[in-house]
Amino acid sequence: MFNKFILLFLLSASCMIGQTKTNSKVDTYTSRKKVYEIKYAPERWIRADTSDWDVEFHDKYNLVTAYFIEYDYFISDKKLKSTIEDEYKEFGKIKNLKIYKKKINDLNVNYFECELDYNDMLYKYQGFFYSGKGGSIQMQFGAQAEAIEQNQALIDELNNGISIIN
């Protein structure tokens, strides 16, 4: 009985040590209208301000890029397909566009996935549109197909970092 108690103590102590090591620093990006925030781990995502998007993130290896923008208008479900196609038309024609409903935190979003053959390389894009307070927002991830597949957990982590500011 005493040996079982010691074993239980050691197991619980090792779990507690593991929990303290996984606590990492979290930074927050607040949207320009102060409606949304994105919490992210700076050791995995590097933030860069751009002129075309409100904010841009790169993974630490610079394989996956994430873009966020807040629009001053609403993008209807009927216009989603044409909006996505317009974004990529200067790079080529997108293929295998899928749009579906998905819940991210408390947001019911229109999630999309597509492919683009650009300079004989296959790129994959995914992300979502959400229409809410003050207009619409878009979060988009892009990379070579292999990088998207290998970094899906990292993409999901950043997606799950977005929320509405109360």
Side-chain angles (χ1 to χ4, degrees), residues 3 21 41 46 48 54 66 68 108 111 125-127 139-140 147 152:
N3 289 341
K21 286 185 180 180
I46 299 157
D54 292 345
F68 174 85
N108 291 314
Y111 209 87
Y125 292 88
Q126 63 178 270
M139 178 76 103
Q140 170 181 298
Q152 189 61 51

Side-chain angles (χ1 to χ4, degrees), residues 25 119 133 147-148 155:
K25 185 177 187 269
N119 288 339
K133 190 174 179 181
I148 289 286
I155 291 168

Side-chain angles (χ1 to χ4, degrees), residues 32-33 69-73 75 87 129 134-138:
R32 61 183 161 82
K33 291 183 181 180
I69 193 165
E70 193 172 30
Y71 299 108
D72 295 329
Y73 52 87
I75 299 170
E87 281 186 2
F129 287 88
S136 295
I137 60 171
Q138 178 182 359

